[in-house]
């Protein structure tokens, strides 16, 4: 069983808390502090973004964080190094756009991810139809490719995705890009039920989760909750690293309490 | 025959899962409609009565004698309604959108020609329309911004990245991912995820079909070479398509050389790019060693793009089409020359194709018969040209 498989196995009683931060945001150094805060706040898994110049699945908040990291010269190698420093403490999953993998070389990237102790790769612009080869390349190295399903996915496509999924399935809560939203879609439970019908792979929900209440609501139907844009805007607004880290830790602790309830 | 998703290794659908079902739906709708007699006759009537087709194939005698080489014909896409070939594609895609029951359309635009063409077709069908356009392009293509607004479109400025076509396309895709249930995305070139490159190629190939018949009628023989500028590559694919199998006809695509290929400030994705994935397809892309997309540069907003349609990458590798580039300065000189020599003010994009001919004129003989795709007219560029040539 893969590292992520074991993680979800262990945590069946509570939905997993899966915070996201763009690697190297707001700086390489500060990002490390934030990852410490993730751990102190009770994160079960870390999702780390590889900054990309054209992140077309991301809303303005994540886009701006990636741009800031790129402007500071952050590379995929830097993010892999950061991952390697944390992967012995918590499972780390990278969010990486396909062109970064393609330019690196599929095998070389899978190799480097495995060497950094990365458990899984989320590739938002690599739908299952294009992913076959990369899934095999990664699986041979013990790395899961985390596939995404969307509310627009047909039953047939959910089946295709389930057939190739491992680790967990990333369920996109709404049709759209990343970004905090005031309310969750009321169709989320139906959507998750449709996916659940077709797979035993754990389901994590992301895109738009921004409050402890929303996280709790998601947790009633899913095995994991991904929180990204909300955390990045907290970091952006805090200005200073220490303040940001404290705010993030407090927020994640609150979310975790809701998840345990 | 079903429409291709790949051209050799190039193409594919590298986009979020959210829109994959919509791409499947689009491919299915297009497969069904492309041979449907009603759809075909509607499209034909629109191209004739609304767009103004067929466009002339014009023998540019003064240009031919001024350059002193081959006989040069211009395929006059500049005479299409709205002033460029882009409308051939948008009327077809709007017909599709209506057939598919979509109630809103969006598009990206660089020079604004595709934006205007989409806004025009949307007005014709009475469908709300939003156009994404980089802030830098809004500044240099003011006329087209005004036209889009008059046509009832919402023009959404894009301030991310290089603030040009690439970023406009990112935002259009983000909009589409968000509103995919009711929104049709009108892609403006032979780029993007499958099936768009194949659909746009087919809708634009009316250019080549007409040119083939017209040159045979005028000259009783086939041309020796076709030349077209390449941004995403739709006017070039449209002209080349019916000639691809005639291996003895030389096909040339002209990319934006910007300030020179060695300055790093250009839009020559095929000559200087690497294989990569941008906007949903695998093709040649201007990028760094880590796959970060680089800013393109061109005097011409329509060629200011770091990618190219996947079929061009394939045709390049196959050696079927040769790609070259001319600089901003050469394009501007050709812009002025064609205006003064033939009384035709070309789009700066199309001026690249003329400039290529001027640069390589020694390669041609009097026996050569050339068709240059004059993809658009230069009205949109006159203020920019006036500034650069200090005419005002
Ligand atoms: C007149 C004209 N020609 C050419 C182009 C480049 O596009 P393509 O390479 O798809 O023909 C544009 C794009 O805006 C244009 O307006």
């Amino acid at each position: 069983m893969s590292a992520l498989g074991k993680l979800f196995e262990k945590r069946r009683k509570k939905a997993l808390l899966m915070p996201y931060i763009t690697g190297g945001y707001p700086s390489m150094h500060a990002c490390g502090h934030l990852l410490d805060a993730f751990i102190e706040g009770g994160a079960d898994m870390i999702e780390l973004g590889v900054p990309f110049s054209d992140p077309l699945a991301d809303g303005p908040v994540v886009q701006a964080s990636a741009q800031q990291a790129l402007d500071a010269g952050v590379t995929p190698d830097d993010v892999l190094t950061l991952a390697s420093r944390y992967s012995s403490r918590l499972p780390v999953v990278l969010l990486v756009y396909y062109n970064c993998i393609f330019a690196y070389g599929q095998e070389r990237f899978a190799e480097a991810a495995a060497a950094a102790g990365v458990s899984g790769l989320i590739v938002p612009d690599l739908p299952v139809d294009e992913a076959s080869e990369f899934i095999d390349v990664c699986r041979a190295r013990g790395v899961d490719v985390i596939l995404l399903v969307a509310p627009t996915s047909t039953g047939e496509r959910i089946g295709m995705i389930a057939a190739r999924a491992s680790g967990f399935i990333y369920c996109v809560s709404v049709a759209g890009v990343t970004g905090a939203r005031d309310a969750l879609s009321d169709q989320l439970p139906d959507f998750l039920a449709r996916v659940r019908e077709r797979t035993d792979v754990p389901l994590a929900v992301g895109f738009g989760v921004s409050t402890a209440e929303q996280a709790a609501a998601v947790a009633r139907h899913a095995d994991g909750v991904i929180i990204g844009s909300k955390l990045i805007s907290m970091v952006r607004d805090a200005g200073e690293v220490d303040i940001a880290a404290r705010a993030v830790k407090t927020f994640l602790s609150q979310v975790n309490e809701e998840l345990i309830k | 025959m079903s429409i291709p998703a790949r051209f050799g290794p190039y193409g594919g659908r590298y986009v979020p899962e959210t829109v994959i079902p919509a791409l499947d739906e689009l491919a299915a709708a297009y497969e069904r409609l492309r041979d449907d007699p009603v759809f075909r006759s509607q499209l034909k009537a629109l191209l004739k009565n609304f767009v103004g087709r067929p466009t002339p194939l014009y023998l540019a005698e003064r240009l031919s004698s001024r350059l002193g080489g081959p006989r040069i014909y211009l395929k006059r896409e500049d005479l299409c309604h709205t002033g460029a070939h882009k409308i051939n594609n948008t009327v077809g895609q709007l017909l599709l959108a209506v057939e598919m029951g979509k109630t809103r359309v969006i598009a990206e635009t660089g020079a604004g020609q595709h934006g205007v063409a989409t806004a025009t077709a949307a007005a014709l069908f009475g469908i709300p329309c939003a156009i994404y356009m980089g802030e830098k392009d809004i500044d240099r293509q003011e006329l087209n911004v005004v036209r889009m607004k008059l046509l009832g479109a919402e023009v959404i400025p894009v301030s991310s990245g290089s603030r040009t076509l690439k970023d406009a396309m990112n935002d259009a895709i983000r909009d589409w991912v968000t509103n995919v249930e009711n929104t049709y995305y009108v892609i403006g070139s032979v780029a993007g995820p499958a099936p768009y490159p194949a659909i746009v190629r087919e809708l634009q190939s009316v250019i080549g079909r007409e040119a083939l018949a017209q040159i045979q009628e005028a000259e009783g023989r086939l041309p020796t070479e076709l030349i077209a500028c390449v941004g995403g590559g739709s006017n070039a694919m449209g002209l080349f398509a019916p000639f691809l199998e005639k291996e003895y006809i030389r096909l040339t695509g002209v990319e934006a050389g910007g300030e020179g290929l060695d300055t790093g400030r250009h839009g020559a994705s095929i000559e200087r790019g690497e294989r990569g994935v941008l906007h949903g397809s695998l093709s040649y892309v201007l990028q760094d060693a880590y796959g970060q997309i680089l800013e393109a540069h061109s005097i011409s907003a329509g060629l200011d793009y770091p990618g190219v349609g996947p079929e061009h990458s394939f045709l390049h590798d196959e050696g079927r089409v040769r790609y070259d580039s001319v600089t901003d300065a050469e394009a501007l000189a050709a812009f002025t020359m064609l205006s003064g020599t033939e009384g035709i003010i070309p789009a700066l994009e199309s001026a690249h194709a003329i400039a290529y001919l001027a640069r390589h004129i020694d390669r041609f003989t009097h026996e050569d018969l050339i068709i240059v795709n004059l993809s658009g007219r230069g009205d949109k560029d006159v203020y920019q040209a006036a500034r650069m040539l200090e005419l005002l």
Side-chain angles (χ1 to χ4, degrees):
Chain A
M1 182 181 280
S2 69
L4 293 173
K6 283 191 203 116
L7 175 71
F8 278 96
E9 201 57 37
K10 212 167 57 196
R11 293 298 192 125
R12 276 292 183 199
K13 38 190 164 17
K14 181 196 84 119
L16 303 190
L17 176 57
M18 309 159 83
Y20 168 89
I21 187 88
T22 302
Y25 178 79
S27 67
M28 280 310 286
H29 177 73
C31 191
H33 281 301
L34 294 171
L35 294 180
D36 292 334
F38 281 9
I39 296 175
E40 290 161 20
D44 297 291
M45 194 199 84
I46 290 170
E47 192 187 330
L48 205 49
V50 174
F52 178 53
S53 55
D54 294 77
L56 47 75
D58 285 303
V61 173
V62 178
Q63 276 178 56
S65 71
Q67 193 57 51
Q68 184 172 329
L70 287 174
D71 290 345
V74 174
T75 68
D77 289 323
D78 295 330
V79 180
L80 285 162
T81 304
L82 193 59
S84 70
R85 284 182 19 221
Y86 284 85
S87 57
S88 56
R89 298 165 71 185
L90 272 190
V92 175
V93 166
L94 297 187
L95 185 136
V96 48
Y97 282 86
Y98 186 59
N99 201 43
C100 293
I101 296 170
F102 187 83
Y104 212 94
Q106 293 198 120
E107 307 216 341
R108 222 185 120 225
F109 196 92
E111 212 63 69
V118 167
S119 307
L121 299 172
I122 303 167
V123 192
D125 55 349
L126 191 69
V128 65
D129 329 45
E130 306 285 1
S132 226
E133 198 186 306
F134 189 55
I135 291 173
D136 294 338
V137 164
C138 287
R139 203 163 283 173
R141 291 159 180 83
V143 177
D144 289 318
V145 174
I146 308 304
L147 297 171
L148 294 93
V149 294
T152 50
S153 303
T154 56
E156 191 191 342
R157 289 198 58 82
I158 296 172
M160 282 167 67
I161 292 162
R164 299 292 341 247
S166 66
F168 62 92
I169 292 177
Y170 191 136
C171 304
V172 173
S173 72
V174 285
V177 292
T178 58
R181 288 174 177 81
D182 293 338
L184 289 169
S185 160
D186 51 13
Q187 284 152 36
L188 186 63
D190 283 350
F191 163 48
L192 293 173
R194 274 205 303 135
V195 183
R196 188 74 88 188
E197 241 168 57
R198 293 175 172 84
T199 183
D200 294 326
V201 178
L203 307 183
V205 172
F207 282 41
V209 183
S210 57
T211 66
E213 293 70 45
Q214 287 175 348
V218 167
R220 279 195 280 282
H221 308 278
D223 308 301
V225 184
I226 298 165
I227 305 181
S229 298
K230 166 71 181 175
L231 295 172
I232 290 174
S233 51
M234 283 171 70
V235 173
R236 182 195 62 200
D237 297 343
E240 231 181 289
V241 186
D242 291 345
I243 302 175
R246 235 176 299 141
V248 163
K249 180 185 154 188
T250 308
F251 175 71
L252 290 179
S253 307
Q254 285 163 359
V255 175
N256 221 6
E257 265 169 45
E258 287 295 322
L259 296 184
I260 289 165
K261 263 185 206 167
Chain B
M1 189 186 61
S2 77
I3 49 174
R6 295 253 176 200
F7 307 92
Y10 301 106
R13 304 192 296 179
Y14 300 90
V15 286
E17 169 66 19
T18 308
V19 296
I20 294 282
L23 292 172
D24 283 337
E25 186 194 345
L26 173 60
Y30 187 67
E31 300 246 357
R32 179 168 51 80
L33 290 167
R34 70 204 282 238
D35 297 320
D36 178 85
V38 178
F39 181 83
R40 289 174 69 117
S41 75
Q42 283 174 326
L43 181 57
K44 205 170 155 195
L46 281 172
L47 288 176
K48 177 166 184 278
N49 304 320
F50 189 69
V51 175
R53 303 205 71 91
T55 59
L57 185 72
Y58 166 73
L59 174 61
E61 285 188 75
R62 276 175 41 87
L63 180 69
S64 300
S65 68
R66 167 145 182 196
L67 291 177
R71 268 168 95 71
I72 304 166
Y73 278 84
L74 303 177
K75 181 60 177 160
R76 298 290 308 274
E77 293 302 296
D78 60 315
L79 294 177
C80 289
H81 178 42
T82 72
H85 68 293
K86 298 287 180 183
I87 189 104
N88 302 326
N89 171 38
T90 61
V91 293
Q93 288 204 48
L94 257 292
L95 262 181
L96 257 174
V98 171
E99 282 297 326
M100 291 172 70
K102 301 294 176 182
T103 54
R104 171 178 179 260
V105 299
I106 57 170
E108 82 293 337
T109 197
Q113 286 303 120
H114 175 59
V116 167
T118 304
T120 298
L124 176 68
F125 286 94
I127 290 185
C129 169
I131 306 291
Y132 288 87
M133 188 169 188
E135 283 178 346
K136 184 172 165 191
D137 293 334
I138 288 180
D139 284 346
R140 57 180 165 175
Q141 306 278 211
E142 239 178 358
L143 173 72
N144 277 342
V145 175
V146 177
R147 293 170 78 197
M148 287 184 270
K149 289 183 177 169
L150 284 172
L151 291 161
E154 181 190 2
V155 179
I156 304 175
V158 176
S159 59
S160 57
S162 56
R163 301 181 300 127
T164 60
L165 180 54
K166 157 179 98 76
D167 310 283
M169 194 146 173
N170 286 337
D171 269 6
I173 294 173
R174 291 181 183 117
D175 180 316
W176 197 40
V177 171
T178 307
N179 300 299
V180 62
E181 294 289 346
N182 71 343
T183 297
Y184 183 99
Y185 179 20
V186 187
I187 292 185
S189 193
V190 285
Y196 281 102
I199 292 177
V200 177
R201 169 213 219 249
E202 209 161 272
L203 291 171
Q204 288 293 4
S205 65
V206 64
I207 301 172
R209 285 197 307 274
E210 284 176 8
L212 181 59
Q214 288 166 320
I215 195 82
Q216 271 173 321
E217 157 122 32
E219 295 280 337
R221 63 177 176 132
L222 288 171
T224 53
E225 180 160 347
L226 310 179
I227 303 172
C229 68
V230 175
S234 66
N235 86 86
M237 266 335 295
L239 177 65
F240 296 167
F243 295 89
L244 283 174
E245 278 164 17
K246 305 185 195 313
E247 300 276 349
Y248 48 90
I249 298 178
R250 184 166 164 138
L251 307 175
T252 303
V254 185
E255 297 190 292
E259 293 172 9
L261 296 192
D262 293 328
T263 65
R265 288 174 56 75
H266 57 77
S269 318
I270 292 183
E271 285 156 283
R272 286 301 168 94
E274 302 280 342
R275 286 184 184 185
V277 168
L278 175 65
H279 297 145
S281 57
L282 177 66
S283 196
Y284 283 102
V285 177
L286 299 177
Q287 57 184 336
D288 71 12
Y290 285 111
Q292 307 295 350
I293 309 303
L294 299 173
E295 275 186 32
H297 169 85
S298 173
I299 189 180
S300 127
L303 306 183
D304 199 349
Y305 181 64
V308 66
E311 191 170 7
H312 284 289
S313 293
F314 175 67
L315 293 170
H316 167 265
D317 287 6
E318 293 285 295
R320 179 63 192 98
V321 179
R322 292 160 210 247
Y323 296 85
D324 202 332
S325 61
V326 298
T327 63
D328 286 349
E330 289 173 296
L332 192 58
F335 176 85
T336 316
M337 179 184 63
L338 191 69
S339 302
T341 308
E342 290 287 351
I344 298 170
I345 302 176
L348 279 172
E349 291 79 12
S350 324
H352 282 69
I354 304 286
Y356 171 86
L357 192 53
R359 186 207 276 183
H360 293 281
I361 199 67
D362 290 345
R363 179 159 75 62
F364 299 94
T365 71
H366 289 292
E367 298 301 305
D368 281 318
L369 186 59
I370 310 293
I371 298 177
V372 177
N373 203 5
L374 203 72
S375 57
R377 61 177 175 245
D379 304 30
K380 68 188 178 56
D381 298 315
V382 296
Y383 285 111
Q384 195 190 353
R387 260 180 268 144
M388 287 182 294
L389 299 167
E390 297 180 4
L391 299 180
L392 289 178

